Amino acid sequence: MESREIKSPVLIESPATPAIGNFDGSSTSAKRKKLGIYFLESDDRRTALGGGYVAGGTTPVNIRGKPIADLSKTGGWIAAFFIFGNEMAERMAYFGLSVNMVAFMFYIMHQPFADSANAVNIFLGISQASSVLGGFLADAYLGRYWTIAIFTTIYLAGLTGITLCASMSVFLPNQEHCDQLSLLLGNCEQAKPWQMLYLNAVLYITGFGAAGIRPCVSSFGADQFDERSKDYKSHLDRFFNFFYLSVTIGAIIAFTAVVYIQMQHGWGSAFGSLAIAMGVSNLLFFIGTPLYRHRLPGGSPLTRVAQVLVAAFRKRNKPFSSSELVGLYEVPGKRSSIKGSGKIPHTDDFRCLDKAALRLKEDGVDPSPWVLCTVTQVEEVKILLKLLPIPACTIMLSIVLTEYLTLSVQQAYTLNTHMGQLKLPVTCMPVFPGISIFLLLSLYYTIFVPLSRRITGHPNGASQLQRVGIGLAVSILSVAWAALFEKYRRDYALNHGYESIFLTPMLDLSAYWLLIQYCLIGIAEVFCIVGLLEFLYQESPDAMRSVGSAYAAVAGGLGCFAATIMNNIVKSATGDSSKGKPSWLSQNINTGRFDYFYWFLTVLSVINFCLFLYVARRYKYRSTTEQVVEKGEQKGLNMVVNPLGST
C-alpha cells in the first residue's frame, strides 16, 4: 500500500523540504532538528483495527465499553461530585490514620514513640509509592472505574480490621498499671508479636487499598469532561481545585471530628467512624455508575515501554542515513494503534529512542512491536521521561509535610493550646493547614486568579508549572519561619526552667504561633499539588493518565521514606548517647535542636527550588496531533509525499 506522511511539529514553521540525506546522525543543531520532518503512515498493524482513539483520545465509552450515544446524559459536574465523595472519605481515612495511629501504637500498643512514628511514616510512604501499581492496572487492564471499585472495597476491609483491633481486647496488650510515666519509661506491657503482626497486616491492607484508589480518582473525575468542549480547560482547572477541596474537607474532618470521637468514645469508635464513612462513600460511588464516562484501557504500559527500549537497543547501530531506511513508522489514519490513545506528534527529544520507530526494509511487512514501534508509542516513553523531573522536585515538599506531622506536634505539646476558654487537643493542630487550604481554594477564583491574570496574562492566572513553583517557594518561607520560631521557643523554655519537663505546656507561650508555618505550608500545598495533578493529567499520554497521576503519589511516598531516612541519619550524626550528647531530634525537644533541623530543611528546599526552576524553564508543553495539523493549515502548509517513497 502507498505510504503517507504527516509533518512533525518541529518543522511546521519551515517551508523547506529536506532531501533524504538530512536523515543523519550529525551532532549539529541544524541537522539534528531535521530527523522528524516526516514520518511514514505505513501498513495497518492489527491492533489498530481494535479501535484506537482519534487524536486527543476523545472517545468516551460506557461501562460495557460501548460508545455513548448521548453524552449529555453522562459525565459533567454531577458525575464528578459522586467521585468527590469517594475521595473525601479516602482522604478522611488516610489523614485519620496518619494523625491517630502513632498515638494508638504508643499509648495502646505500648511501642516506643520513635518506632511508632517510623512505622506510620513507612505505611504512608508505601501506600503512596505503590500507587504506580494501581495506575498500571487501571491503564493496562481494568480501567479506572473497576480499579477504584476493587481497591475501595479492599480499603474498607482494612479499616474494618483496624476497627476490630482497637475494639477487641484480645488484639491489645494489658492496659493495667500503665500511666504516662510508665509509658515514658517503657515499663508498660508491650503488644505480643502476633498482635503487632495483625495490626500491621490490616494497616498495610488499608495502604494497599489507598494505592489503587489514589492514582485513579483524579483522572477518572477529569475523564467526565468533554475534551472537545470550548470550556474544557476551564472546567478541568476548576475540577482539580474542587477535587483538592474535597481532599481538604476530608482532612479537616479527620483532624477534628475523628479526634473528638476518639477522646470521647475511644479508639474503636474513632477508627469505626472512618470505616463507616468509607462504606457510605463506596455506596454513593456505585450509585453514580450510570452517569460515568469511561476510557478503554490501552494494554500494559510497561510492555509498551519495554518494547520501545528493546527495539531501540536492537537498532542502536543503525544510522539515520542508512540506505535501508524506509521512514519513521506510524499507522495510517486518525486512529493510533493503542487503545485509549490518540496519535502523538513526533518530537526531537531523546533521539536515541527514535531508533525504535525506524522502519527498515529488513523489518518485513508485519514486524513485531519488539522490533518496530510506532511513533506514538515512542513518544509515550519520551513523555514519561520528560515528566519525571517535575514530580521529583515536589519530593522536598512531601518531606517537609511529613516532618510537620511529627515535629510540629512535638512543638505543640510544649505550648499553650487554649483558645479563650476552649482547649484544643494537640492532635487537632494539623487542622489549621487544612483550614488555610479551604479558605484559599474558596477565594482562589475571586481573588488570586484576577490579580495574577493582570501580571502573567494567563487566562487561569498562572500556568500549571508556575503554580507548582509558587507552592515550592512558599514552602521555603514556611520552613524558614518554623526554624525562627523554634529558636525562640527553645530559648524561652531554657530561660524559664522547662528544660527537663518537655511535656509540660508553657502557659505564657501560645501554640498559635505555629499557625504561621501551618498556613504557609497549606498555601504551598494548594499551589504545588493542585498544579501538579492538573499538569500530569494534561501532559501524560492518553492511555497512561493513571500512571502519570501516580507520579504525584509516588513523589509523596518517596518523601515519607526520605523523611524517615533523614531523621535516622540526623539522629546518628548529631547525637552521641555514650557521651550524653542529645541529637538535634532528641525526644526531649528542649534539649534537642529542632531549629537546626528546620534550617537544614530550608537549605535543601532552596536547592530543590533552584533545580525546579531549571527543569521547568526547559520543559515544553506538548501539543496534540490536531493542534499541529491545525497550525500547519493556518500557515498554508500542505501534506507532502515523502521522497523516501512507499513500503
Side-chain angles (χ1 to χ4, degrees):
M1 82 181 257
E2 183 181 357
S3 297
R4 300 183 300 114
E5 285 131 44
I6 59 179
K7 280 183 177 287
S8 163
V10 175
L11 287 183
I12 263 305
E13 305 279 355
S14 172
T17 303
I20 182 172
N22 288 330
F23 282 88
D24 56 36
S26 172
S27 61
T28 62
S29 60
K31 291 185 178 181
R32 284 179 66 84
K33 291 184 178 179
K34 292 180 180 179
L35 172 62
I37 291 180
Y38 303 104
F39 59 87
L40 290 178
E41 286 187 331
S42 191
D43 295 338
D44 280 277
R45 180 167 282 170
R46 281 188 292 271
T47 53
L49 302 177
Y53 282 16
V54 297
T58 54
T59 309
V61 295
N62 61 23
I63 194 171
R64 294 181 294 277
K66 305 297 183 182
I68 299 174
D70 187 359
L71 289 177
S72 64
K73 296 181 179 179
T74 62
W77 286 105
I78 296 178
F81 278 115
F82 282 97
I83 298 168
F84 288 151
N86 185 267
E87 178 62 10
M88 187 185 304
E90 191 274 322
R91 294 285 88 183
M92 176 181 165
Y94 177 82
F95 287 112
L97 291 177
S98 68
V99 75
N100 286 302
M101 189 52 67
V102 174
F104 179 75
M105 286 187 172
F106 179 67
Y107 288 108
I108 304 300
M109 305 303 286
H110 305 154
Q111 301 298 298
F113 184 84
D115 292 349
S116 300
N118 284 340
V120 173
N121 281 347
I122 292 172
F123 154 71
L124 298 177
I126 290 177
S127 71
Q128 294 188 75
S130 58
S131 295
V132 70
L133 172 63
F136 167 77
L137 291 175
D139 286 339
Y141 305 113
L142 300 177
R144 287 185 264 277
Y145 172 85
W146 287 112
T147 303
I148 295 171
I150 292 170
F151 281 89
T152 198
T153 305
I154 295 173
Y155 204 132
L156 179 59
L159 289 174
T160 303
I162 293 174
T163 303
L164 292 176
C165 179
S167 304
M168 300 176 66
S169 59
V170 67
F171 294 114
L172 305 175
N174 192 342
Q175 305 298 315
E176 295 180 3
H177 312 298
C178 186
D179 54 19
Q180 189 174 39
L181 179 61
S182 299
L183 276 171
L184 293 175
L185 296 176
N187 293 332
C188 293
E189 178 186 319
Q190 290 198 349
K192 296 179 178 64
W194 73 267
Q195 291 172 329
M196 288 305 302
L197 178 63
Y198 173 80
L199 176 59
N200 285 317
V202 293
L203 191 60
Y204 284 107
I205 288 173
T206 305
F208 183 64
I213 298 172
R214 189 173 293 113
C216 300
V217 175
S218 61
S219 297
F220 187 55
D223 287 344
Q224 306 310 310
F225 299 95
D226 188 355
E227 295 180 10
R228 295 165 294 187
S229 168
K230 63 179 182 179
D231 297 324
Y232 173 67
K233 288 191 174 181
S234 174
H235 285 316
L236 204 62
D237 180 70
R238 289 179 180 271
F239 165 78
F240 281 103
N241 278 278
F242 282 121
F243 175 81
Y244 211 71
L245 185 62
S246 68
V247 171
T248 304
I249 294 173
I252 291 174
I253 295 173
F255 293 137
T256 53
V258 177
V259 171
Y260 174 81
I261 292 172
Q262 183 272 314
M263 294 178 65
Q264 296 295 319
H265 304 286
W267 293 101
S269 298
F271 293 134
S273 66
L274 300 178
I276 292 172
M278 199 70 206
V280 172
S281 76
N282 289 0
L283 179 62
L284 292 175
F285 177 78
F286 290 122
I287 288 175
T289 297
L291 299 175
Y292 300 143
R293 298 174 183 176
H294 306 260
R295 301 295 170 94
L296 292 173
S300 171
L302 294 184
T303 301
R304 295 201 301 277
V305 170
Q307 288 170 345
V308 170
L309 298 179
V310 170
F313 180 78
R314 284 180 169 179
K315 296 181 178 178
R316 65 192 182 281
N317 295 323
K318 300 291 184 180
F320 291 117
S321 57
S322 170
S323 60
E324 296 295 311
L325 174 67
V326 177
L328 296 182
Y329 175 69
E330 184 58 276
V331 296
K334 293 183 178 181
R335 296 178 182 271
S336 78
S337 62
I338 303 166
K339 280 187 178 182
S341 176
K343 283 186 176 179
I344 305 176
H346 177 269
T347 65
D348 282 305
D349 301 306
F350 301 104
R351 287 164 56 87
C352 60
L353 295 178
D354 283 326
K355 297 258 178 121
L358 279 180
R359 181 154 199 183
L360 306 176
K361 292 179 181 178
E362 65 189 52
D363 290 335
V365 177
D366 188 20
S368 163
W370 294 95
V371 174
L372 180 66
C373 303
T374 65
V375 168
T376 293
Q377 191 174 341
V378 173
E379 291 301 321
E380 280 188 327
V381 180
K382 290 183 181 181
I383 290 170
L384 291 181
L385 292 175
K386 287 188 288 187
L387 289 178
L388 272 176
I390 303 300
C393 288
T394 66
I395 292 176
M396 192 62 226
L397 175 63
S398 177
I399 291 174
V400 173
L401 288 168
T402 302
E403 298 292 3
Y404 274 7
L405 280 176
T406 53
L407 301 186
S408 61
V409 169
Q410 284 183 264
Q411 288 177 295
Y413 271 115
T414 71
L415 301 170
N416 183 1
T417 59
H418 281 85
M419 181 181 289
Q421 298 298 316
L422 176 66
K423 185 183 187 300
L424 290 180
V426 169
T427 48
C428 281
M429 294 302 291
V431 74
F432 291 103
I435 293 175
S436 66
I437 293 172
F438 180 84
L439 293 175
L440 179 60
L441 288 174
S442 301
L443 301 174
Y444 184 82
Y445 289 103
T446 56
I447 296 179
F448 173 77
V449 171
L451 289 176
S452 57
R453 187 185 291 134
R454 295 179 183 178
I455 300 173
T456 64
H458 195 279
N460 294 328
S463 69
Q464 296 148 3
L465 290 181
Q466 285 173 339
R467 280 180 277 167
V468 174
I470 291 172
L472 294 179
V474 175
S475 72
I476 296 173
L477 299 178
S478 174
V479 75
W481 167 261
L484 290 172
F485 176 70
E486 172 55 22
K487 174 68 166 59
Y488 177 80
R489 189 211 62 78
R490 183 177 183 275
D491 289 345
Y492 186 94
L494 296 180
N495 293 334
H496 291 79
Y498 287 94
E499 180 175 354
S500 60
I501 47 176
F502 61 96
L503 289 180
T504 302
M506 297 179 285
L507 299 180
D508 294 331
L509 193 57
S510 174
Y512 297 101
W513 283 104
L514 295 174
L515 294 189
I516 297 176
Q517 68 199 54
Y518 278 147
C519 292
L520 286 173
I521 202 64
I523 293 170
E525 199 175 350
V526 167
F527 281 102
C528 185
I529 305 303
V530 175
L532 180 65
L533 287 173
E534 184 178 346
F535 169 78
L536 291 174
Y537 180 82
Q538 288 201 281
E539 293 297 299
S540 295
D542 296 328
M544 294 186 179
R545 279 176 167 165
S546 296
V547 171
S549 296
Y551 273 11
V554 170
L558 293 177
C560 292
F561 291 132
T564 301
I565 294 171
M566 187 182 298
N567 288 350
N568 292 334
I569 292 174
V570 167
K571 288 177 182 177
S572 176
T574 61
D576 190 341
S577 57
S578 63
K579 297 180 181 179
K581 178 185 177 183
S583 72
W584 288 0
L585 299 178
S586 170
Q587 185 162 323
N588 183 345
I589 186 175
N590 294 333
T591 59
R593 295 309 305 248
F594 280 30
D595 53 334
Y596 288 174
F597 186 68
Y598 279 135
W599 282 124
F600 176 60
L601 292 179
T602 304
V603 172
L604 292 180
S605 296
V606 170
I607 295 172
N608 178 74
F609 180 66
C610 293
L611 289 174
F612 171 78
L613 291 179
Y614 174 76
V615 298
R617 286 178 65 87
R618 291 173 59 87
Y619 186 85
K620 294 180 181 179
Y621 290 93
R622 76 183 185 97
S623 301
T624 64
T625 300
E626 286 178 333
Q627 291 171 325
V628 173
V629 172
E630 181 181 352
K631 185 176 180 181
E633 291 174 347
Q634 289 173 352
K635 289 182 175 291
L637 300 175
N638 298 317
M639 298 302 172
V640 298
V641 176
N642 186 355
L644 293 175
S646 60
T647 57

